[in-house]
Amino acid sequence: MKFLTCAAKDLRLFTRDRTGLFFTFLFPFLLIGIFGLIFGAGYRLPDLHVAQEDNGQLANLYVSTLENVFKIHKVENAEAAEQNVRNGLAVVGLVIPENFSRGGKVRLFYDPAKGDIAISMKATIESVTQRFWAGGESPVESQSVVGREIHAMQHFVPGWSIMFILMTAGIGIASTIVVERKSGAFKRNLLAPIRRGSFLGGHVFSAFVIGCLQLAVYFAFGILVFGMPVYGSPLLVALIGALVVFFGVGLGLLVSSFARTTDAASSAVWAVIMPMSALGGLWWAKEMMPAWMQSISNVLPTTHAMDSFRAVIMRGEGLAAIAPSLAVLAGFTIVVLALALKLFRWEE
Amino acid sequence: MPIVEIRDLSKTFNGRKAVDRLNLTIEEGELFGLLGPNGAGKSTTVAMLSTVLQPTDGTAIVSGHDIRKRPKEVREIIGVVTQDVGLYDDLTAAENLAYFGKLHGVEGGKLRKRVNKILDIVQLKDRTKSRVKTFSGGMKHRLNLAVGLIHKPEILFLDEPTAGLDPAARLSVWELIKGFQAEGTTILLTTHYMEEADYLCDRVAIMDQGKIVALGTPAELKRSIGKLEVIEVKARAPKKLVAKLRKIRKVEKAEITSEGLRVLTPAADAVLSQVVKSLADEGVHMDSLNIIQPTLEDVFIKLTGRALRD
Ligand SMILES: Nc1ncnc2c1ncn2[C@@H]1O[C@H](COP(=O)(O)OP(=O)(O)OP(=O)(O)O)[C@@H](O)[C@H]1O
Ligand SMILES: [Mg+2]
């Protein structure tokens, strides 16, 4: 169990590095927080999804009245209006029935779980409609619907998690080994009666512990501070996270065989992770990128990690659905680790 | 009883022989010195004995274990202090010792006791909880020595334990080393300071270009070069002066060393005036001139025709 001794030493060194701690834990909060406040708070009035089944003059007049207050998004039919509320694409869906001109009641679907916005939209629609009919009995039939929440954090938390976990694992393990080599501590470890595997195992294990801690902390931050929902299994989230950590560890080990200084080590890791993050859709949805870029994106491990996270977190998918992406990620991880072990420099 | 037996040990780097068919035995409890100039192969020898460098040929038996076949067993009983410091700057003195102690299988209460004792020995008791990066060079050096001893090794390899230290620090390290030997540890020490080998070692092997050129107690070695005297001049002497001095009759050897000039002769009185004249002719300013008994440096000069440090 000598690898535990080695790992405990690495963890102790990690806690002594204040800058490292800042970039590992606080800096990501800052970024997630900023992006969360910009995109995630949802203070913008969401579109009103409207299914207009009556195309008469009166109905058109009614829609244009609503347009004074809301941005209207037309949908196919009543089912679509309800479905969009259910799967979180809309907060409120409105159906203008065929018999609207003859006094048919407007049907309204809203998701009370969305809070004040849903309630105030519902109230506004009710009062606008009431005035449109100039009084009379309530012309709106409201129905509350339990909708799934799509939360900006469901993108930013996994996105930034992948990036920062890869950075920390990669830079962490590479620069620790570079410093050990430089200080002569590396040689001294090998002079002890331990197996080489224990020495490397210690590094891998300590990096793994730190990576898992990061994952837990970032997700806790998203969930507790921003109310990010996770629809799928937390175990799957942990599984994807673990693969991401190992990929970062492999990358760090690989870099440690070439880099002579800690600066070179972190530059090398940055140079790999940054483009992978941008192209992998960690900062923005990859669907926003041009098609040719998406085809590059589809071969990157970061993309597969992100797709798996999104599938589990946003859509509640199970293992079967993400298995292909996990296989790609695991494949990359194994190749990088194998290469790192093969090229690792034991002698000067 | 020999505790280390080196048999035809060789190491070739890119076709150049760093260590060339070395044969040596070190007795239990002995303080054995490998004395040689830069590049003689001392560190390479130590690295092979401590199993971190694979020999090209030959082997060594350390306390009954073959270094090639039982490297882990060998590492369990040896302590190694390499030429460069191998410490974690961000761990404290005690944490460094505890970490390497644990790697050697020393645990719990035993480890705590040993850490305390060893910090006491190397006079770092008051800095137990300070991080190593706050230490002076000398303190790091002492802690580095301490790490090699944390697991009470049977055999201690010290590779240039005083290189780069000022004279006072060197003296205190010498006392430490004597203390380690008194504890019963067998010590193999490498150095290119002849005073160090002379003062500390029971036996010395003089090494040059991967080979042993002389072996014996310091006294035996000094006697071995015959009845010679040494004119030791402290001065900055130009290279061409040496050729001139060698032409003087009865001068056996003349070499430039790190401190100045050494002239080996069977009759110092007879050649002194000519030596001084040669110096004056070249306009060399002398800081001092002494006629002394030969040292190990002179043994080396006699045997190889070169100075230990050039
Ligand atoms: N890893 C290596 N690769 C190639 N050559 C090496 C290597 N290590 C040592 N050498 C060569 O082997 C020879 C012996 O080196 P070594 O370090 O053993 O000498 P040393 O006696 O310890 O010298 P010093 O007093 O400078 O420490 C030198 O010529 C050196 O250049
Ligand atoms: Mg050396």
Side-chain angles (χ1 to χ4, degrees):
Chain A
M1 290 289 115
K2 292 279 169 61
F3 83 95
L4 285 178
T5 308
C6 297
K9 169 262 301 169
D10 285 336
L11 290 175
R12 176 170 270 153
L13 286 171
F14 175 72
T15 60
R16 303 250 157 111
D17 175 11
R18 295 232 179 85
T19 334
L21 282 174
F22 171 78
F23 280 104
T24 306
F25 293 115
L26 289 182
F27 185 61
F29 279 1
L30 225 64
L31 277 181
I32 294 175
I34 289 169
F35 276 78
L37 287 177
I38 295 173
F39 298 104
Y43 290 120
R44 194 167 49 99
L45 205 56
D47 296 356
L48 175 64
H49 287 216
V50 174
Q52 189 179 349
E53 292 175 341
D54 180 343
N55 287 311
Q57 224 175 7
L58 203 58
N60 285 342
L61 186 64
Y62 174 61
V63 171
S64 54
T65 312
L66 286 172
E67 261 172 346
N68 292 330
V69 192
F70 300 106
K71 187 152 180 278
I72 290 195
H73 176 82
K74 288 267 180 74
V75 296
E76 282 292 301
N77 49 31
E79 270 118 74
E82 183 181 348
Q83 199 52 46
N84 287 354
V85 177
R86 265 189 213 292
N87 61 26
L89 285 175
V91 173
V92 176
L94 197 67
V95 180
I96 303 169
E98 242 174 334
N99 58 357
F100 176 78
S101 317
R102 284 168 276 128
K105 278 192 179 174
V106 168
R107 280 191 298 147
L108 181 148
F109 302 98
Y110 73 105
D111 178 5
K114 296 282 148 58
D116 293 347
I117 289 185
I119 306 298
S120 73
M121 277 174 83
K122 171 175 170 275
T124 311
I125 291 166
E126 279 169 353
S127 85
V128 167
T129 314
Q130 210 139 28
R131 231 172 296 148
F132 187 80
W133 287 114
E137 59 186 292
S138 173
V140 181
E141 196 178 81
S142 295
Q143 186 186 342
S144 84
V145 163
V146 180
R148 174 163 277 173
E149 198 182 351
I150 301 266
H151 200 284
M153 280 294 148
Q154 289 177 317
H155 183 86
F156 293 121
V157 169
W160 292 114
S161 292
I162 294 170
M163 188 178 102
F164 279 103
I165 287 171
L166 288 179
M167 285 281 184
T168 307
I171 295 176
I173 200 162
S175 55
T176 320
I177 293 175
V178 166
V179 168
E180 273 180 333
R181 281 191 209 278
K182 260 191 154 163
S183 70
F186 182 83
K187 271 195 204 154
R188 191 154 240 165
N189 275 277
L190 300 187
L191 281 165
I194 59 168
R195 273 178 290 120
R196 287 173 169 186
S198 303
F199 176 74
L200 278 190
H203 280 302
V204 170
F205 186 67
S206 60
F208 182 70
V209 169
I210 293 168
C212 292
L213 219 59
Q214 283 178 288
L215 188 75
V217 167
Y218 301 158
F219 271 75
F221 181 71
I223 291 167
L224 299 177
V225 178
F226 284 92
M228 174 187 79
V230 175
Y231 297 124
S233 152
L235 281 178
L236 284 180
V237 171
L239 177 66
I240 304 164
L243 280 173
V244 171
V245 177
F246 277 124
F247 179 67
V249 167
L251 201 68
L253 276 182
L254 195 59
V255 167
S256 77
S257 298
F258 303 105
R260 304 266 162 191
T261 65
T262 51
D263 281 349
S266 35
S267 307
V269 174
W270 271 80
V272 176
I273 303 294
M274 278 297 167
M276 271 196 181
S277 301
L279 290 171
L282 304 188
W283 300 338
W284 43 69
K286 70 169 182 193
E287 290 78 14
M288 286 167 54
M289 299 190 291
W292 65 270
M293 254 189 199
Q294 285 191 42
S295 54
I296 300 176
S297 172
N298 285 336
V299 299
L300 296 178
T302 37
T303 310
H304 289 277
M306 189 62 186
D307 286 350
S308 310
F309 267 135
R310 290 210 302 183
V312 172
I313 297 169
M314 292 182 177
R315 300 196 299 276
E317 309 261 26
L319 183 59
I322 61 169
S325 277
L326 285 186
V328 175
L329 186 55
F332 266 99
T333 306
I334 290 167
V335 168
V336 169
L337 274 172
L339 203 62
L341 292 182
K342 179 136 179 49
L343 296 178
F344 196 79
R345 269 191 303 126
W346 289 104
E347 283 173 11
E348 285 312 298
Chain B
M1 206 189 79
I3 193 164
V4 178
E5 284 183 64
I6 303 177
R7 298 174 183 162
D8 287 334
L9 194 65
S10 308
K11 181 73 194 183
T12 309
F13 290 114
N14 315 318
R16 281 192 54 235
K17 286 178 175 163
V19 175
D20 192 5
R21 297 178 73 86
L22 200 68
N23 283 285
L24 262 186
T25 57
I26 300 172
E27 302 294 321
E28 197 169 341
E30 193 175 26
L31 208 170
F32 190 94
L34 266 185
L35 175 68
N38 291 132
K42 306 180 298 289
S43 297
T44 306
T45 304
V46 169
M48 287 190 285
L49 290 179
S50 46
T51 79
V52 288
L53 187 68
Q54 191 70 16
T56 313
D57 206 4
T59 189
I61 311 299
V62 175
S63 194
H65 305 289
D66 190 314
I67 55 167
R68 301 183 86 141
K69 291 180 197 133
R70 296 261 173 276
K72 197 161 167 242
E73 282 80 354
V74 171
R75 289 205 297 270
E76 266 161 18
I77 52 167
I78 62 171
V80 185
V81 179
T82 53
Q83 221 168 328
D84 27 42
V85 174
L87 299 167
Y88 289 98
D89 271 351
D90 280 312
L91 296 183
T92 66
E95 285 166 349
N96 266 291
L97 285 169
Y99 173 62
F100 288 109
K102 276 187 201 156
L103 288 190
H104 281 91
V106 191
E107 300 272 353
K110 226 169 136 189
L111 179 64
R112 264 195 305 281
K113 267 200 210 130
R114 185 72 186 156
V115 168
N116 279 327
K117 173 149 186 235
I118 209 116
L119 281 170
D120 208 16
I121 295 177
V122 297
Q123 293 150 28
L124 289 170
K125 198 73 186 249
D126 52 329
R127 299 298 295 269
T128 304
K129 291 197 171 121
S130 314
R131 295 205 197 160
V132 170
K133 66 176 166 199
T134 67
F135 282 18
S136 73
M139 292 162 75
K140 278 188 193 174
H141 206 92
R142 295 209 297 278
L143 182 62
N144 198 44
L145 281 175
V147 171
L149 279 163
I150 186 68
H151 55 294
K152 283 200 179 166
E154 281 178 42
I155 310 166
L156 183 61
F157 297 144
L158 299 174
D159 195 6
E160 312 246 1
T162 63
L165 291 187
D166 60 59
R170 176 166 304 153
L171 270 178
S172 82
V173 169
W174 285 357
E175 290 322 305
L176 284 177
I177 294 172
K178 289 224 154 188
F180 301 158
Q181 189 192 18
E183 272 196 335
T185 316
T186 306
I187 300 173
L188 169 67
L189 167 148
T190 80
T191 182
H192 57 239
Y193 297 118
M194 51 91 196
E195 316 92 316
E196 185 162 291
D198 200 347
Y199 177 72
L200 283 177
C201 298
D202 300 323
R203 281 195 307 149
V204 174
I206 297 183
M207 199 172 179
D208 187 41
Q209 298 181 349
K211 289 193 165 115
I212 290 186
V213 292
L215 172 69
T217 66
E220 283 168 1
L221 288 171
K222 283 183 276 187
R223 273 202 303 275
S224 73
I225 58 172
K227 280 212 168 322
L228 287 180
E229 287 175 311
V230 180
I231 303 172
E232 184 195 54
V233 183
K234 296 227 159 90
R236 287 169 60 84
K239 274 240 157 64
K240 62 175 176 184
L241 183 62
V242 175
K244 227 171 150 186
L245 290 171
R246 282 179 186 152
K247 291 206 185 92
I248 300 171
R249 220 166 61 86
K250 286 199 173 162
V251 165
E252 259 195 40
K253 299 267 176 189
E255 274 312 319
I256 291 175
T257 66
S258 54
E259 284 158 344
L261 195 66
R262 296 179 89 84
V263 178
L264 274 61
T265 166
D269 293 344
V271 300
L272 187 58
S273 61
Q274 293 174 74
V275 170
V276 173
K277 183 168 179 300
S278 302
L279 283 158
D281 288 350
E282 288 296 327
V284 174
H285 170 80
M286 283 185 280
D287 289 327
S288 70
L289 185 149
N290 291 298
I291 295 173
I292 57 169
Q293 290 307 303
T295 65
L296 292 178
E297 171 108 48
D298 304 308
V299 178
F300 187 81
I301 291 174
K302 176 85 200 291
L303 291 172
T304 67
R306 286 178 292 114
L308 263 177
R309 281 204 291 170
D310 29 26

